[in-house]
Amino acid sequence: MRLKSRRLKRQQRNKQQFLFERLEARRLLASDFMLAVLPDTQYYSESHPEIFASQTQWIADNVDEENIVFVSHVGDVVDNADQLTQWLNADAAMDQLDGVVPYSVAPGNHDFIDLDTHNGPNNFVGVFGSARYEDESWYGGASPDQLNHYQRFSAEDLDFLHLTLEWEPRPGAISWAQGILDANPGIPTIVTTHAYLDGSGSRFDNAESPDGADAEELFQSLITVNPQIFLVLGGNYHDEAHNVSFNDAGLPVLELLTNYQTRSNGGDGYLQLLNFRPDLNRIDVTTYSPSQDDFETDNDSEFSFDLDFDARLSFGDPPTASLYTPLDNGVNDQDDAAGSVRVSAVQAKFEVQLADAVPGIDDTTVTPGTVELRRDGESLSSPNDFGVAYDAETDRLTLSPFTGDFEVGAYTIMLNGGSDKIADLNGNVMAPSTLEVTIDSDSSNDVPPNALYFTMSSLATFPNGLVADDDDIVYFDGTDFNLFFDGSDVGVELLTIDAMTILSSNEILLSFTGAMEFPSISERVDDSDIVKFTATSLGNNTAGTFSLYFDGSDVGLTSSSEDINALSILDNGHLIISTKGDFDVDGADGEDEDLIEFSPDSLGLTHLRQSESRTSFVCGSYDVDAACWHYVTNSGQVL
């Protein structure tokens, strides 16, 4: 290993040979990195400040050599919290780490003026409050009382979160810590709190303070329910111990006790070094004293934790939620990024799609308690006003009114805002999400100009001099012909538009003859597909992006006769299309004079899955080359 000063005094063994063996056994790999744990320093601050200083000086001197990326002090910084000299000694020792390596200092029971209570933290806050770290890039922030802090650091392409919690954390501290975890989902997390494991290696279960949690309560309320926490460090109880527990997700949590205060000189300067070894999938723990230049090698001082770094520390992204119904169908004004949609018709239901690629949604976490629905700012109650159903096959939530439809109003769907949390099988909790649906019967938003829109089969010159080709869209406003969409501006000049519908003032559905690769679409688009063009500008300077809206091959449109040559869309999102020749798909077959309705379960690159509702409309013996849907009354009158 790169610890050049390692020597061990042991009887009945050749010192030089022993050192050689230790160095070979612990030699660092290029990917290794180290976390240093400072034990209770209370007697150093009181009577042996030079030992405290030797610990931090050794760390500072070996940050590069040992690749030390973080230092955690487990608390009991001083022995008597009302003695200024002890705080000055501690401050001077920890000063040696400032600007050198990220670190944290946890408050122990001796760091409160009223011993074994949470009263009198003034001196701790004065020396190790947030002001000490505010200029450090790795410092995240503190709880309002500045007794709990969090830090972020990185090592070998891994990002870590560290939570520093007060001795016997009170409910407010635990709530604060949960908030930090919720804001940083999926980041491997280390927790340091002063009292956790006792000398037997068990979590202590008898809190001394009247308002704080013992270790078992902390484990149950914070550690086990947050799988990103993989390591817990503590002191207080005498000597050393280690343990491996398993959280609610069945993942290991490594637990350590580090405290040498009962030894001579307040601990003889021993500290623990956790050597993270990703290439070997383990953490090697050693115990070393810079002032003694000595290693301890008993079973509690030198040992290893097996840890599959990829499996335990790579959580992936937490689940996400998006609106599934209502769909963007032309009457809507949908903002996918903001999770909002405006529709002009009442809705029988709202649907929310949950997504988590790996390892998948934990279906047991999806409960009615994870959903809140408001209308015009007022909460609706479940099940009195609406019901919640969850389909585990599709990972989809459905909100349905108790009676009738969701009427005109501004609806807000809030997920994970309460105590119940949607999570994935790794335990990653979805961040609180807000989705909005506005139902406005008078909505005319995003309506394109009131005009006749059409395409050409070949190059054409219009009476007013406008020249347009078969990849363009022209509209007639009653007076003049105008260019609405210029295909050559967006790279489709080699294709012919043979079906289109205008969704809104900046969205167009298009189907083309032939096939083409689009830079923004991962799959090759052919004549049975429909793409959506979202414009940033239209007319003579057309610009925007293409996305796959409908994959014809997913529903069986694969033959040359099944070229889509007419399309429209209903207010409920169903597609009306016609094909160039005969079609034969699951649920319907017909000829070029027929219209077919598709009821989508999903669209785009997630692919359309057919529902049972599919109808063929016969239009005599004529080939349909255009389709635009209007309302049909019960008497058959087209409006």
Side-chain angles (χ1 to χ4, degrees):
M1 189 174 177
R2 290 175 291 191
L3 286 171
K4 295 179 178 179
S5 62
R6 289 186 170 175
R7 298 185 302 273
L8 185 63
K9 302 172 183 177
R10 292 186 61 168
Q11 295 178 352
Q12 301 175 348
R13 190 177 258 194
N14 182 280
K15 180 178 178 181
Q16 184 177 2
Q17 179 61 29
F18 181 82
L19 179 59
F20 176 78
E21 291 173 357
R22 305 316 300 169
L23 292 174
E24 287 299 307
R26 301 170 183 170
R27 189 165 302 281
L28 289 174
L29 300 175
S31 61
D32 291 0
F33 56 92
M34 186 173 286
L35 186 152
V37 181
L38 286 170
D40 300 42
T41 56
Q42 60 201 81
Y43 295 145
Y44 302 148
S45 297
E46 180 191 44
S47 304
H48 304 283
E50 73 285 354
I51 296 179
F52 196 170
S54 72
Q55 291 178 312
T56 53
Q57 186 62 61
W58 182 90
I59 292 171
D61 291 344
N62 287 274
V63 162
D64 294 333
E65 182 81 5
E66 297 298 325
N67 198 14
I68 300 173
V69 296
F70 193 79
V71 181
S72 175
H73 192 308
V74 300
D76 272 3
V77 184
V78 300
D79 192 46
N80 307 105
D82 59 350
Q83 297 298 308
L84 180 59
T85 300
Q86 295 182 30
W87 289 108
L88 292 174
N89 290 336
D91 182 32
M94 296 303 294
D95 273 349
Q96 297 182 113
L97 302 182
D98 289 333
V100 178
V101 63
Y103 69 90
S104 70
V105 180
N109 54 315
H110 279 260
D111 298 322
F112 295 87
I113 291 175
D114 291 341
L115 183 66
D116 295 338
T117 75
H118 293 102
N119 301 325
N122 307 41
N123 286 336
F124 176 87
V125 172
V127 179
F128 296 108
S130 57
R132 184 183 190 96
Y133 316 107
E134 60 187 2
D135 294 331
E136 301 288 357
S137 60
W138 44 262
Y139 181 64
S143 58
D145 59 11
Q146 298 186 54
L147 296 177
N148 306 276
H149 304 257
Y150 76 98
Q151 304 82 19
R152 295 189 64 165
F153 63 94
S154 300
E156 297 302 320
D157 298 325
L158 287 171
D159 294 326
F160 291 92
L161 177 70
H162 182 272
L163 295 176
T164 311
L165 301 184
E166 64 185 13
W167 164 74
E168 294 188 357
R170 290 165 288 180
I174 295 173
S175 177
W176 172 86
Q178 186 61 61
I180 300 303
L181 291 167
D182 290 344
N184 296 272
I187 299 176
T189 300
I190 302 166
V191 173
T192 298
T193 186
H194 180 57
Y196 190 73
L197 288 189
D198 61 24
S200 71
S202 301
R203 292 184 294 272
F204 85 97
D205 58 2
N206 55 336
E208 295 184 58
S209 63
D211 53 354
D214 60 39
E216 186 59 33
E217 291 169 336
L218 178 62
F219 182 81
Q220 296 298 335
S221 62
L222 185 72
I223 309 300
T224 192
V225 295
N226 288 285
Q228 67 192 85
I229 299 175
F230 73 98
L231 175 62
V232 184
L233 306 173
N236 187 57
Y237 295 97
H238 298 165
D239 224 46
E240 304 164 302
H242 60 275
N243 185 49
V244 178
S245 295
F246 291 88
N247 59 29
D248 286 352
L251 300 171
V253 179
L254 316 181
E255 302 167 320
L256 280 86
L257 162 65
T258 307
N259 181 15
Y260 309 102
Q261 70 181 86
T262 59
R263 302 186 186 186
S264 60
N265 302 311
D268 277 339
Y270 285 97
L271 49 81
Q272 281 197 325
L273 305 171
L274 279 61
N275 185 17
F276 288 66
R277 316 196 73 178
D279 289 347
L280 300 179
N281 279 325
R282 74 172 193 252
I283 298 176
D284 291 340
V285 180
T286 54
T287 302
Y288 177 66
S289 168
S291 60
Q292 302 290 318
D293 192 15
D294 183 63
F295 285 93
E296 286 197 344
T297 58
D298 59 88
N299 291 338
D300 284 327
S301 301
E302 182 173 293
F303 55 92
S304 295
F305 288 116
D306 291 329
L307 187 71
D308 187 328
F309 278 68
D310 288 338
R312 186 63 183 90
L313 303 185
S314 300
F315 292 89
D317 294 326
T320 59
S322 60
L323 280 172
Y324 184 79
T325 298
L327 293 170
D328 181 0
N329 60 22
V331 181
N332 299 351
D333 178 18
Q334 183 159 333
D335 183 347
D336 291 327
S340 66
V341 63
R342 180 181 293 271
V343 294
S344 61
V346 298
Q347 300 292 311
K349 62 184 177 181
F350 300 144
E351 291 181 296
V352 176
Q353 183 66 56
L354 303 178
D356 186 81
V358 177
I361 301 294
D362 181 351
D363 298 328
T364 65
T365 66
V366 187
T367 66
T370 62
V371 183
E372 182 181 354
L373 180 64
R374 294 180 182 177
R375 176 183 172 185
D376 297 328
E378 296 187 3
S379 293
L380 302 179
S381 65
S382 173
N384 295 329
D385 298 318
F386 71 101
V388 178
Y390 175 63
D391 185 343
E393 292 294 321
T394 60
D395 293 332
R396 193 171 303 144
L397 278 163
T398 300
L399 284 65
S400 303
F402 184 71
T403 59
D405 296 318
F406 288 121
E407 302 291 342
V408 170
Y411 293 85
T412 302
I413 304 167
M414 291 173 287
L415 304 173
N416 276 20
S419 58
D420 291 351
K421 303 289 185 182
I422 297 170
D424 65 16
L425 292 171
N426 268 346
N428 291 322
V429 176
M430 184 178 74
S433 302
T434 299
L435 308 171
E436 296 180 349
V437 178
T438 301
I439 302 175
D440 182 359
S441 60
D442 297 324
S443 175
S444 59
N445 53 293
D446 271 357
V447 174
N450 187 16
L452 174 67
Y453 294 81
F454 55 92
T455 62
M456 288 66 59
S457 61
S458 60
L459 186 68
T461 301
F462 293 87
N464 63 347
L466 174 68
V467 177
D469 211 339
D470 57 3
D471 59 315
D472 302 327
I473 299 174
V474 172
Y475 72 92
F476 181 67
D477 59 12
T479 304
D480 278 323
F481 294 94
N482 303 274
L483 186 63
F484 184 71
F485 172 85
D486 189 337
S488 63
D489 284 347
V490 289
V492 296
E493 61 270 16
L494 298 180
L495 301 178
T496 296
I497 300 172
D498 61 352
M500 63 91 181
T501 192
I502 310 297
L503 294 180
S504 69
S505 59
N506 73 326
E507 294 178 312
I508 311 166
L509 294 185
L510 300 162
S511 186
F512 303 97
T513 59
M516 178 177 168
E517 301 280 354
F518 286 79
S520 57
I521 301 175
S522 61
E523 300 180 2
R524 184 176 177 83
V525 174
D526 64 26
D527 55 15
S528 68
D529 301 329
I530 298 172
V531 300
K532 181 169 79 170
F533 179 73
T534 303
T536 54
S537 63
L538 287 164
N540 290 320
N541 296 295
T542 297
T545 57
F546 290 97
S547 59
L548 185 62
Y549 187 83
F550 172 86
D551 189 333
S553 63
D554 281 350
V555 295
L557 296 178
T558 56
S559 71
S560 60
S561 66
E562 293 171 335
D563 171 11
I564 296 174
N565 65 350
L567 71 92
S568 189
I569 190 167
L570 306 183
D571 285 349
N572 62 7
H574 292 190
L575 285 167
I576 304 297
I577 68 170
S578 178
T579 57
K580 183 175 67 174
D582 296 348
F583 63 87
D584 185 1
V585 294
D586 183 26
D589 60 79
E591 301 176 357
D592 55 4
E593 61 264 28
D594 299 333
L595 296 175
I596 187 169
E597 177 186 359
F598 285 89
S599 174
D601 285 335
S602 65
L603 288 163
L605 287 176
T606 53
H607 303 299
L608 181 146
R609 293 189 295 273
Q610 302 159 206
S611 74
E612 296 178 357
S613 173
R614 180 175 295 167
T615 309
S616 180
F617 301 92
V618 179
C619 299
S621 58
Y622 300 97
D623 178 13
V624 175
D625 278 336
C628 185
W629 192 257
H630 296 269
Y631 180 72
V632 183
T633 67
N634 291 335
S635 63
Q637 180 181 7
V638 178
L639 300 180

